Amino acid sequence: MQRSLADWLSHIERIHPKSIDMGLERIRIVSQRLGLKRPARKVITVGGTNGKGSTVAFIEAIARAAGWRVGAYTSPHLLAYNERIRIGGADAGDAALVEAFEAIEAARGEVVLTYFEYGTLAALWLFERAKLDLAILEVGLGGRLDATNLIDPDVAVITTVDIDHQDYLGPDRESIGFEKAGIARGWKPLILGDDDPPSSVLRHAYAIGASAVRAGCDFFFEALPPDADKPDEGPRWRWREVGYRVELPMPALAAPAQMRNAAVAVAALRALGKSPTRQQFAEGVAAAHVPGRLQRFVRDGVEIVVDVGHNPQAARELAAWLAAAPAPGRTHAVFAALGDKDVAGVVAALHAGVDAWHLAGLADSGPRGIAVEAFAERLRDTAAGEGSRHADVAAALAAVRAQASAGDRILVFGSFHTAAAALAWLAAN
């Protein structure tokens, strides 16, 4: 009897003893057995600590506005596994994913693949059959040893480099930067979204002959003042490099960082050679959307904002957004994070913009999940340490929603698991 997608996902979760086992040997063997070639005529690989998903969304939306047939592979998903693989703007169907998993299972033989390796191979298998103009691959973890690095990109992107996943990538920006720079290829463009990237990234680019294209050095972006001659025109910003400039609408995606993410996406597409038109850039920037990135809901005058931010750098961006768009009333933070995150650093970055903290557990979120009491203990010496405690995100949201008044804001953040739980609760309430 044929397995359903749910059966397959349960199978691939169990087959490898580790949820993360970095390296390219296993996926390379199975890829060769599958006979995989290029997933598309052009490939852009996007790595970085934060902003990867949004940058992929901008690249995808602009390329589709240009009439290209585009595939995007992202992770993790929020509500359904199908979200990870998009072709022509649509999530992969259950039947297509099942067919891909069946092909991978038949080819792998004795090779034991991780959950992420199965998904990466499924994306590459489906992309190759879709006759794509462009495939966009989002790095899962790091870069050098990530499964997506099986493919040689035409353009590599590193959005930002900051402290996260230290157990796998190293203790500081220099070591983490070296791991992320592994997606670069010799004599190909490497787009860098940091104004001050780690020297390890630049050294690696120089050593292999990659062409580093740096924000604030090789391309620039800035918000534009209102145009008195066009009072009905919304806020705009300018992207420019030597010999080229384009004025664009502000991204529909909220947060100050999204202009930078959009600028990096423009740079990546310009580096491909055949650039979209100015109008296509504008249409794509305006159309890009990613669930769980400052996603806003209103319930009886209470604003509820859901964000996947889960490390100090993301928390600093959230703090900047809170400062730029203050709520009329109180700001409540519902915070739930995995057990391996720098939660004290997150609170330190955000505490000035939060009036009340509400902690939630993620005990059912796999081996890195943590119950609320243990989570609160880790935050004992922070501004969030005395916050209310709730078994899970749904319970926290229900409690905070009951006490919030019109004009208040509830910010729910800390993990993809947190955002997924919040979106599920909001869909039902």
Side-chain angles (χ1 to χ4, degrees), residues 374-418:
F375 184 44
E377 179 62 23
R378 294 187 60 200
L379 293 168
R380 182 176 54 183
D381 297 325
T382 73
E386 298 302 317
S388 62
R389 302 177 186 185
H390 307 271
D392 55 34
V393 173
L397 255 176
V400 179
R401 175 68 187 85
Q403 62 182 263
S405 302
D408 285 359
R409 171 184 287 154
I410 302 172
L411 174 65
V412 193
F413 77 103
S415 166
F416 277 82
H417 297 280
T418 309

Side-chain angles (χ1 to χ4, degrees), residues 198-277:
S199 58
S200 59
V201 173
L202 300 175
R203 282 198 304 271
H204 181 71
Y206 179 78
I208 67 171
S211 174
V213 181
R214 298 172 56 180
C217 181
D218 300 295
F219 67 94
F220 305 86
F221 55 96
E222 58 269 329
L224 295 174
D227 189 338
D229 296 328
K230 300 176 181 178
D232 296 331
E233 190 175 79
R236 298 183 69 79
W237 61 288
R238 178 188 294 122
W239 188 97
R240 57 188 173 88
E241 64 182 358
V242 174
Y244 182 87
R245 65 178 56 202
V246 57
E247 291 188 8
L248 300 165
M250 281 294 178
L253 288 166
Q258 295 299 357
M259 186 167 67
R260 180 177 294 271
N261 293 333
V264 169
V266 172
L269 286 163
R270 291 280 299 164
L272 271 182
K274 183 182 177 182
S275 173
T277 66

Side-chain angles (χ1 to χ4, degrees), residues 64-80:
R64 293 191 65 226
W68 302 355
R69 185 158 171 78
V70 184
Y73 175 53
T74 61
S75 64
H77 60 275
L78 278 175
L79 301 179

Side-chain angles (χ1 to χ4, degrees), residues 272-287:
L272 271 182
K274 183 182 177 182
S275 173
T277 66
R278 288 171 171 82
Q279 181 60 33
Q280 289 162 350
F281 276 125
E283 290 176 7
V285 166

Side-chain angles (χ1 to χ4, degrees), residues 22-25 27-28 45 47-48 139-151 158 168-170 175-185 204:
M22 298 170 70
L24 297 175
E25 183 63 24
I27 193 170
R28 182 173 285 117
T45 299
V139 171
L141 178 62
R144 182 175 65 91
L145 299 176
D146 188 79
T148 57
N149 206 29
L150 176 72
I151 302 299
I158 301 176
Y168 296 98
L169 305 180
S175 53
I176 293 170
F178 173 76
E179 293 297 328
K180 294 187 182 301
I183 64 173
R185 294 297 189 269
H204 181 71

